[in-house]
Amino acid sequence: MSKVSLLKRIAKQSFIVVVAALFAFPLYWVVVTAFNTKGGTYSIPPNFIPSFHLGPISYVITHTSWLHYIVNTVFIAGASVVLVLITSAMAGYALSELTFRGSGVLFLMIVGVMMLPAQALLIPQYAVAYHLGILNTYTVQIVPFAASTFGVFLFRQFFKSLPKEYWEAARLEGVGHLRYIYRVAVPLAKPAVLTVTLLTFITSWNQFQWPLIMTTSHSVQPIEVALSHYMQTFEANWRKLTSAVVLALAPIVVLFLLLQKHIVNGVAGRDSGVNR
Amino acid sequence: MARVTLRSISKTYGTDKVVDGVSLEADEGEFVVLLGPSGCGKTTTLRIISGLENASSGDLLFDGVSVSSTPPEDRNVGMVFQNYALYPHMTVSQNLSFGLESRKSKKEEIRKAVHEVCELLELSHVMTHKPKELSGGQRQRVALGRALIRQPSVFLMDEPLSNLDANLRERMRSELAQLHRRLRITTFYVTHDQGEALTLSDKIVVLNDGRIQQIGTSDEVYRKPANSFVAKFIGSPGMNLLDLEPLMISGMLEHGSISGLKELLHGQGADLSNVLLGIRPEHLELNDNSSVVTLYCEIQSTERFGSHNQINGLLNGDKDSVVVAKIPPDVELNTTDTVKLYAPYRHLHFFEKTSGNRIEVLDK
Amino acid sequence: MSIGVGTRWEPADEEALEASLIAPTARLGVRKRIRTLKNKLMGYGLMFPAISVFVVFFYVPAIYLLYISFFHWGILSSATNFVGLKNFKTLFSQPLFWHSLVTSVYYTVVMIPATVLLALGIAMLLRAGMEGKRGGFFRGAIFLPHVTPVVATSIVWVWIFNPRFGLANFLLTSLHLPALGWLESQTWALPAVMIDSLWHSLGLYVLIFLAGLANIPKDLIEVARLDGAKRHRIFYRIIWPLLSPTTFFVVVLSTVNSWQAFSQIYTMTGGPHGGAGGPAFATTTDSLLVYQTAFTYLHFSLASAMSLILFLIILTLTLIQKWISDRVVFYR
């Protein structure tokens, strides 16, 4: 390799490192701030090296019901995942294997949902929730998200790729559709299940505007909404505030670090960025 | 074991008539082979018998009762797919028991059935393995087992040996034959390989273009092909078919032969300008005999097969009359040699050129 | 000429044959219809849960929206009076409404090119260093912000943009540039939000571009290189056109997302922190205004009217973009 191209390569690699660092930096900064000494936080120039001052974070842990909010969030996200898996697998199967009149219309209906701008619908959705009597509950945070267009498409795609002989053999043996979905189709669709699970969980965890509008009582609110309350509670007490943020971010970051490969693949497909 | 009857079964896809008026009957316990080139409609016919596809017209009967409107799961047929279609995430015993579980049989009965089938097919030692851990032959046996475990009255196989390599295929063929002798289930077997057809069948149904060309035993389709298609399809290589008129005019035949042929055919009222002469490569001899037709053949190429040699040649250099002959391995012949080939009368076949139908010639 | 040896099924009786051919096919009709009915029930049954969620929580609200905008509506009471276009007239007479539209436009118009350029740039950069695990690590780092909750990370950015102790001003002053008021300044509040948004969303768009770039056959580029084409020429004539479907997708997606951005704006400038909607309403976009009108000022009818307008705007934008794409985008 010539010297010039070696230099180029080094330059490129360093650029990438810089970019990646830039993206990761704010997260690092939160941690630093949260665990810093009071002096360190409010100094100019700011202190970049993390200390391990546990004062603020222990205060947050003991004096707020952050755990309660996390539990809420986990519960809501978990329930959403389960429901989405069921509804998406069933609908995806129906659209891929079965031919029945009206399947085209239903398919278009699902595509149509994707076209509706979410923001614009919030007010009428609030009205619907009100009339259904589910405002300020766990239900209102779960049920509207119980179906996912992405999930339906993913499962449909997956089921379409299964050889049709699987179903034919099962059919000859007298196995019905439901049994087939449960024993053959879904077990073979593990990648789809994983992707839908992860993405639904993350989306649900990150919901903010919806619970903000639909709930008012602390007992059912998720951590995101709690955080925005903390902004008031901890007004200008940045170390405490950032500690709360750390507590809220930690689960997601950990999840991401562990399952990064699957999450990224799920979003962008298997070939993203592979330099062939 | 059911007696299966197809009456004028046809299947059309759009404007394409894939199966055209197929009628045949399989007795109880009979092994019927559906044989033909790709696209001849044999797989479609099989799928119609299974119920996975519906005929556009015609009727299908099991034991004299129409099953055309019976859904496949109620027809009690077992089917082995070309690609086996084994569930990759289930073990062998789970693959076998899957269908039975749906029928709500008792656990003990299911276990017994699975064990029996595994013993029958020598799969007992791999019962807990998953398909990807099995060899090709084992997978095939699992596919067989799955079809057999419900004790079907009709057994269907769609080119089950085509995914195996040559040696394995031979072995599995004889195993299938043994299995059939033991179980005696009415079987329909689709293949494009004549070797399988000839050795496994009680009866062969030769299909082409959706239509039955001939139904008969292996012996019958070999020795008395009903038309030129069957004649050319059966045999490897197939029968040589030569246009008679140019043959007689051009001097490819010895003079004596011509009159002999004329005599034979006149008796049948056949139009000499519309006749194909058929002779199998293995029946062409190098030695003169009485009652033979003699052909002058210019050798184009020779191939050695170990057990025999094969020569490909042209009659009198005419590009349109290709002849293939099988000769004993120790005879040395070279390209561009001209050789006399002798075709005994008793091995001659005649077909109408236009329709392909056989011309029956008495007393050769 | 005889037909030859071989058995064929011969009908003993022409009539019997006819009868046997007709009857089962007719029966086939009825049984087949039952089967298709069963199939239909199964199909609808399987789809019912998903479809019912979509209908109840998306389609019904959509229709409801159309309906409510023309009523005076107190949401808690069912008492509604038809007021026709009054809501819209009131809306149009409010300068804040127009201001919010302008703000939304400003925000979106800056975000789209910024997103496209930055995401594409980073994607192209990443392609170079994309080997195996290391590449995966960088991709992960860039994508991580996207999966984090917006409120949590926006708080971090508020801290970064803190005028006295924040990193942003520290950076500026160390480069001998004037410190800015950021979220407290009329001019710089929205840009601050934009930076946060970019940081949060670029990961996704980078991934999308990476996928799009991967779909360009390497041979095309190599052939061009061998022909002596320079880098930027390769880019303009080969990569850019072939990438256009992806670029288009990114543009549409970022437009829709930018216009509907809420959480970060609310956290950084609205809601409980600071003044609602930013200093002098600098960050009051359409979405934010809809929220405030409905849930802070409880003016549901106005909010509905605004939502309807928002709906139409986004729909129109999408359609326009589609129209443009049909002319400009190169689909292979």
Side-chain angles (χ1 to χ4, degrees):
Chain A
M1 216 185 313
S2 76
K3 226 183 182 185
V4 172
S5 51
L6 182 63
L7 276 176
K8 265 191 176 176
R9 205 154 170 251
I10 296 180
K12 273 202 193 137
Q13 301 271 25
S14 1
F15 243 127
I16 297 176
V17 172
V18 167
V19 168
L22 274 180
F23 274 88
F25 185 73
L27 298 172
Y28 171 74
W29 189 232
V30 180
V31 175
V32 169
T33 311
F35 292 114
N36 226 335
T37 59
K38 191 157 187 194
T41 314
Y42 296 104
S43 63
I44 305 167
N47 194 340
F48 286 102
I49 321 286
S51 337
F52 285 104
H53 220 65
L54 295 175
I57 202 169
S58 17
Y59 180 85
V60 174
I61 292 180
T62 48
H63 283 79
T64 61
S65 28
W66 71 280
L67 187 62
H68 171 80
Y69 290 115
I70 299 258
V71 167
N72 275 353
T73 319
V74 170
F75 172 66
I76 294 169
S80 304
V81 166
V82 170
L83 287 180
V84 165
L85 283 177
I86 297 176
T87 60
S88 304
M90 283 170 43
Y93 181 79
L95 287 176
S96 72
E97 297 278 331
L98 300 174
T99 40
F100 55 99
R101 240 199 348 186
S103 61
V105 172
L106 291 180
F107 181 73
L108 282 179
M109 278 182 77
I110 298 185
V111 174
V113 170
M114 293 197 303
M115 310 252 119
L116 300 173
Q119 275 282 325
L121 294 179
L122 282 173
I123 310 277
Q125 283 170 329
Y126 181 75
V128 169
Y130 170 70
H131 288 302
L132 286 177
I134 55 176
L135 279 182
N136 211 23
T137 59
Y138 287 113
T139 317
V140 76
Q141 299 178 77
I142 299 175
V143 174
F145 299 100
S148 153
T149 59
F150 174 71
V152 173
F153 285 139
L154 200 65
F155 274 113
R156 173 174 177 263
Q157 200 69 13
F158 219 89
F159 291 147
K160 273 197 155 174
S161 73
L162 292 177
K164 69 171 180 175
E165 280 90 10
Y166 285 167
W167 166 239
E168 288 180 345
R171 189 178 170 194
L172 280 178
E173 296 185 85
V175 177
H177 281 294
L178 286 175
R179 204 133 199 285
Y180 177 74
I181 297 177
Y182 173 62
R183 292 291 307 272
V184 181
V186 171
L188 288 177
K190 282 216 181 78
V193 171
L194 190 60
T195 305
V196 171
T197 304
L198 286 175
L199 291 181
T200 308
F201 189 86
I202 293 176
T203 310
S204 180
W205 189 284
N206 295 349
Q207 283 296 327
F208 174 66
Q209 195 177 13
W210 184 272
L212 182 70
I213 294 179
M214 301 288 174
T215 64
T216 48
S217 99
H218 296 293
S219 56
V220 294
Q221 282 177 337
I223 187 78
E224 279 271 85
V225 177
L227 272 181
S228 72
H229 291 323
Y230 289 160
M231 279 183 84
Q232 260 180 318
T233 324
F234 293 130
E235 181 93 46
N237 191 329
W238 285 105
R239 291 186 302 150
K240 293 215 178 93
L241 195 51
T242 48
S243 303
V245 170
V246 167
L247 287 172
L249 280 179
I252 283 281
V253 173
V254 167
L255 187 72
F256 183 78
L257 290 175
L258 289 177
L259 297 167
Q260 179 193 325
K261 195 176 64 164
H262 296 109
I263 298 177
V264 171
N265 285 341
V267 170
R270 233 169 289 145
D271 256 343
S272 59
V274 171
N275 206 11
R276 275 188 238 120
Chain B
M1 312 314 148
R3 184 168 42 95
V4 177
T5 315
L6 279 81
R7 281 190 199 156
S8 271
I9 296 279
S10 293
K11 177 77 184 176
T12 318
Y13 286 118
T15 50
D16 211 359
K17 205 161 196 184
V18 174
V19 178
D20 193 352
V22 166
S23 300
L24 60 97
E25 183 134 337
D27 286 327
E28 291 184 22
E30 212 175 10
F31 195 112
V32 176
V33 172
L34 301 175
L35 175 70
S38 330
C40 68
K42 53 193 195 294
T43 301
T44 312
T45 307
L46 194 76
R47 287 169 66 86
I48 291 178
I49 301 177
S50 76
L52 290 172
E53 305 226 17
N54 285 318
S56 312
S57 66
D59 199 7
L60 177 67
L61 305 151
F62 285 9
D63 282 331
V65 177
S66 172
V67 296
S68 296
S69 39
T70 318
E73 50 266 25
D74 295 334
R75 292 191 191 187
N76 202 20
V77 297
M79 184 157 169
V80 177
F81 294 87
Q82 190 170 2
N83 295 310
Y84 311 150
L86 300 180
Y87 301 124
H89 60 297
M90 295 190 196
T91 63
V92 167
S93 44
Q94 285 170 338
N95 262 286
L96 292 174
S97 61
F98 187 50
L100 292 179
E101 286 168 20
S102 313
R103 293 182 175 217
K104 296 196 176 112
S105 317
K106 297 210 182 87
K107 271 199 172 161
E108 193 46 47
E109 287 174 17
I110 298 180
R111 222 179 46 84
K112 223 178 71 172
V114 171
H115 269 282
E116 277 177 19
V117 169
C118 283
E119 283 220 26
L120 178 70
L121 294 168
E122 289 174 39
L123 291 169
S124 306
H125 57 293
V126 291
M127 275 174 73
T128 51
H129 289 201
K130 297 223 175 109
K132 66 171 179 243
E133 302 163 27
L134 303 174
S135 69
Q138 286 170 325
R139 280 185 217 164
Q140 213 234 26
R141 275 183 256 140
V142 177
L144 282 170
R146 184 172 64 180
L148 289 172
I149 197 165
R150 278 167 37 248
Q151 298 174 327
S153 42
V154 177
F155 196 48
L156 305 172
M157 294 196 260
D158 188 359
E159 307 208 41
L161 302 182
S162 59
N163 287 338
L164 305 173
D165 59 47
N167 291 334
L168 199 51
R169 220 180 292 168
E170 295 268 338
R171 239 185 50 201
M172 288 306 299
R173 220 166 63 194
S174 60
E175 280 189 33
L176 278 178
Q178 278 178 28
L179 197 64
H180 181 253
R181 272 197 292 276
R182 240 179 107 163
L183 298 175
R184 279 280 149 202
I185 307 182
T186 314
T187 304
F188 286 91
Y189 184 101
V190 162
T191 182
H192 59 272
D193 178 321
Q194 321 169 29
E196 287 166 24
L198 294 171
T199 55
L200 289 170
S201 61
D202 291 328
K203 184 146 78 184
I204 302 183
V205 176
V206 182
L207 289 155
N208 187 34
D209 256 346
R211 275 187 231 105
I212 293 185
Q213 305 295 313
Q214 182 170 1
I215 303 181
T217 62
S218 356
D219 200 45
E220 283 163 5
V221 298
Y222 179 80
R223 290 197 306 112
K224 289 199 167 179
N227 59 32
S228 51
F229 173 80
V230 177
K232 204 131 185 78
F233 190 76
I234 303 283
S236 70
M239 189 183 289
N240 290 299
L241 292 173
L242 304 163
D243 204 343
L244 190 61
E245 192 160 58
L247 206 61
M248 295 195 293
I249 299 175
S250 63
M252 300 175 207
L253 292 181
E254 216 181 42
H255 199 75
S257 309
I258 298 180
S259 38
L261 283 174
K262 280 190 178 161
E263 236 180 81
L264 269 182
L265 291 168
H266 267 309
Q268 293 308 307
D271 176 2
L272 286 175
S273 60
N274 191 22
V275 173
L276 290 172
L277 173 75
I279 178 84
R280 291 200 179 276
E282 50 268 29
H283 293 152
L284 285 166
E285 298 169 359
L286 294 172
N287 302 311
D288 199 348
N289 242 313
S290 59
S291 57
V292 292
V293 165
T294 315
L295 305 164
Y296 294 115
C297 173
E298 206 180 284
I299 303 180
Q300 299 292 307
S301 63
T302 61
E303 292 166 285
R304 295 173 186 283
F305 283 88
S307 55
H308 63 274
N309 288 347
Q310 186 168 303
I311 55 178
N312 307 296
L314 301 175
L315 292 184
N316 209 36
D318 187 330
K319 282 195 264 62
D320 292 327
S321 40
V322 180
V323 156
V324 181
K326 285 186 182 173
I327 58 179
D330 42 348
V331 177
E332 279 294 328
L333 285 171
N334 299 306
T335 331
T336 70
D337 283 356
T338 305
V339 68
K340 278 189 191 176
L341 294 173
Y342 300 96
Y345 281 150
R346 69 177 186 285
H347 284 140
L348 290 177
H349 301 261
F350 298 96
F351 302 95
E352 237 185 44
K353 198 163 77 165
T354 42
S355 66
N357 288 334
R358 179 186 188 70
I359 302 175
E360 200 56 66
V361 170
L362 305 163
D363 198 3
K364 298 178 263 185
Chain C
M1 266 161 292
S2 68
I3 287 179
V5 188
T7 49
R8 268 185 129 244
W9 183 84
E10 297 281 338
D13 186 316
E14 277 291 308
E15 281 182 29
L17 172 62
E18 294 264 316
S20 73
L21 286 181
I22 293 177
T25 326
R27 251 184 292 138
L28 185 73
V30 171
R31 290 286 195 108
K32 198 171 189 188
R33 245 176 287 148
I34 296 182
R35 228 176 315 152
T36 15
L37 188 66
K38 269 174 111 185
N39 239 12
K40 212 178 190 181
L41 281 179
M42 177 67 72
Y44 282 126
L46 285 175
M47 295 207 68
F48 178 73
I51 295 281
S52 52
V53 168
F54 292 137
V55 166
V56 170
F57 290 104
F58 289 89
Y59 283 111
V60 165
I63 300 172
Y64 204 19
L65 178 66
L66 210 60
Y67 175 78
I68 303 175
S69 318
F70 301 103
F71 282 71
H72 180 68
W73 181 46
I75 202 173
L76 291 181
S77 62
S78 332
T80 52
N81 348 328
F82 182 75
V83 289
L85 294 172
K86 174 160 174 249
N87 288 329
F88 292 95
K89 287 207 194 118
T90 320
L91 203 57
F92 292 156
S93 64
Q94 306 266 15
L96 187 54
F97 170 69
W98 296 107
H99 175 82
S100 76
L101 277 183
V102 170
T103 314
S104 294
V105 170
Y106 171 41
Y107 183 76
T108 308
V109 162
V110 174
M111 284 296 285
I112 299 179
T115 306
V116 170
L117 289 174
L118 286 173
L120 184 54
I122 296 176
M124 297 210 63
L125 205 60
L126 277 180
R127 286 221 347 138
M130 243 348 152
E131 291 97 40
K133 283 222 163 141
R134 208 168 7 128
F137 173 75
F138 288 125
R139 246 189 335 191
I142 294 178
F143 189 64
L144 176 56
H146 189 71
V147 301
T148 54
V150 185
V151 173
T153 50
S154 297
I155 293 179
V156 182
W157 282 98
V158 173
W159 170 232
I160 292 181
F161 287 123
N162 185 298
R164 285 191 64 203
F165 303 109
L167 274 184
N169 276 343
F170 169 68
L171 204 65
L172 287 176
T173 46
S174 24
L175 295 173
H176 300 296
L177 294 167
L180 300 168
W182 292 116
L183 294 169
E184 292 170 16
S185 121
Q186 220 177 318
T187 359
W188 295 106
L190 202 58
V193 175
M194 287 184 202
I195 294 178
D196 175 11
S197 299
L198 278 175
W199 174 81
H200 194 267
S201 62
L202 272 179
L204 176 67
Y205 298 115
V206 168
L207 282 186
I208 296 178
F209 270 123
L210 280 177
L213 285 171
N215 275 333
I216 298 178
K218 222 169 171 225
D219 329 343
L220 291 182
I221 302 180
E222 284 172 354
V223 164
R225 272 244 202 98
L226 287 175
D227 282 343
K230 293 238 175 103
R231 298 226 91 175
H232 56 265
R233 216 175 133 75
I234 296 181
F235 182 78
Y236 282 121
R237 301 301 297 276
I238 301 180
I239 298 184
W240 181 252
L242 287 179
L243 203 56
S244 44
T246 316
T247 313
F248 172 68
F249 180 59
V250 168
V251 168
V252 172
L253 201 58
S254 62
T255 309
V256 170
N257 286 343
S258 300
W259 200 280
Q260 300 189 91
F262 176 81
S263 303
Q264 57 270 52
I265 305 180
Y266 179 83
T267 310
M268 292 176 94
T269 65
H273 177 83
F281 304 110
T283 63
T284 307
T285 59
D286 226 4
S287 331
L288 197 68
L289 191 59
V290 168
Y291 171 79
Q292 286 175 335
T293 316
F295 297 101
T296 318
Y297 304 122
L298 298 177
H299 255 99
F300 284 102
S301 4
L302 278 188
S304 319
M306 229 186 304
S307 298
L308 186 61
I309 295 178
L310 185 60
F311 187 102
L312 292 173
I313 290 178
I314 297 186
L315 202 63
T316 317
L317 279 179
T318 318
L319 287 175
I320 292 180
Q321 283 172 329
K322 185 150 208 312
W323 184 85
I324 294 181
S325 92
D326 286 339
R327 275 146 213 276
V328 168
V329 171
F330 173 75
Y331 284 103
R332 238 177 300 161

